[in-house]
Amino acid sequence: DAGVIQSPRHEVTEMGQEVTLRCKPISGHDYLFWYRQTMMRGLELLIYFNNNVPIDDSGMPEDRFSAKMPNASFSTLKIQPSEPRDSAVYFCASSSQGTDYGYTFGSGTRLTVV
Amino acid sequence: QKEVEQNSGPLSVPEGAIASLNCTYSDRGSQSFFWYRQYSGKSPELIMFIYSNGDKEDGRFTAQLNKASQYVSLLIRDSQPSDSATYLCAVKVPLGSGYALNFGKGTSLLVTP
């Protein structure tokens, strides 16, 4: 099993540019979560999906953030336009039984907006 | 806002000692609790989960849960330098029509040779 795959590993972009982060969950997992991690705020849940359907997006900070899951094997998190305060590590995680046995995290995308 | 609180540390223990990591949570109705380990620059990895009051052991790790006191802890016996990492406590919380994990900010553990 290849685990949860995220791309890119690192992204440096200029303020105002569009950024797209990608995630491939573990095959057979029907839950997908997007988290953001900073030193100040720790791990924050942004949005989660069940069977490709967004269930809760109350953690998405602003309308500049959007997420999609067009099929069971792919999800994107888009920031448009990006701002320096969006700089963080963005993690995708997946699970097969909701939260009952925890999640498996991807390796993360370190985003730097300059 | 359902809070999960951890001492940020760093907690420093000598090699071979017992490391004790603590976590408190605000939602008295919480039922499921998780400990993750995160090495610097890496992603969180699940160590253990616990649902029932009392102790749960897995190798050198023991999770302890006291729902009345809203307290969960992780003990690491015979600590090794390779255990040096940040340990994240997480609590299952209702969110939307389902559940998600709410994480504490983590406790940094340093095991010195």
Side-chain angles (χ1 to χ4, degrees):
Chain A
D1 193 336
V4 178
I5 300 172
Q6 292 187 245
S7 64
R9 290 296 306 273
H10 302 274
E11 176 81 34
V12 180
T13 191
E14 291 185 346
M15 182 174 62
Q17 296 298 306
E18 178 179 295
V19 176
T20 299
L21 311 181
R22 298 173 175 80
C23 176
K24 176 180 170 56
I26 291 173
S27 178
H29 282 192
D30 56 352
Y31 283 83
L32 185 140
F33 304 83
W34 282 101
Y35 281 83
R36 177 172 69 176
Q37 187 175 39
T38 61
M39 288 293 293
M40 287 295 295
R41 300 176 68 90
L43 264 174
E44 302 174 280
L45 178 65
L46 301 177
I47 185 172
Y48 79 96
F49 296 83
N50 178 215
N51 291 321
N52 313 336
V53 176
I55 303 301
D56 192 277
D57 65 354
S58 59
M60 297 285 260
E62 300 172 32
D63 290 346
R64 298 183 296 105
F65 286 70
S66 63
K68 294 182 179 179
M69 192 165 186
N71 56 62
S73 58
F74 184 65
S75 176
T76 60
L77 178 68
K78 186 176 294 186
I79 308 172
Q80 166 63 19
S82 57
E83 297 183 3
R85 59 194 167 120
D86 301 331
S87 297
V89 181
Y90 290 80
F91 288 105
C92 173
S94 71
S95 73
S96 62
Q97 299 184 60
T99 57
D100 286 354
Y101 300 103
Y103 313 149
T104 301
F105 280 83
S107 54
T109 295
R110 180 174 295 277
L111 173 65
T112 303
V113 183
V114 298
Chain B
Q1 178 71 18
K2 297 177 173 63
E3 301 290 337
V4 179
E5 299 289 342
Q6 296 181 255
N7 187 320
S8 62
L11 172 66
S12 183
V13 301
E15 183 175 357
I18 296 176
S20 178
L21 304 160
N22 303 315
C23 172
T24 59
Y25 57 95
S26 63
D27 185 1
R28 185 169 290 278
S30 297
Q31 297 294 321
S32 306
F33 307 87
F34 302 79
W35 282 100
Y36 280 78
R37 177 176 61 198
Q38 186 175 24
Y39 291 112
S40 180
K42 302 297 185 181
S43 59
E45 54 181 333
L46 181 66
I47 299 175
M48 295 185 68
F49 56 85
I50 185 167
Y51 300 158
S52 303
N53 275 330
D55 295 359
K56 179 181 179 182
E57 187 174 318
D58 184 359
R60 295 187 297 113
F61 298 97
T62 299
Q64 299 176 317
L65 175 60
N66 183 326
K67 291 184 181 178
S69 300
Q70 296 176 235
Y71 165 98
V72 58
S73 65
L74 179 70
L75 301 179
I76 306 175
R77 291 182 299 282
D78 188 24
S79 295
Q80 301 297 308
S82 58
D83 294 325
S84 298
T86 296
Y87 289 79
L88 303 169
C89 172
V91 179
K92 177 180 174 180
V93 296
L95 189 63
S97 58
Y99 295 88
L101 293 187
N102 188 21
F103 286 83
K105 292 182 180 179
T107 297
S108 176
L109 173 66
L110 177 63
V111 181
T112 56

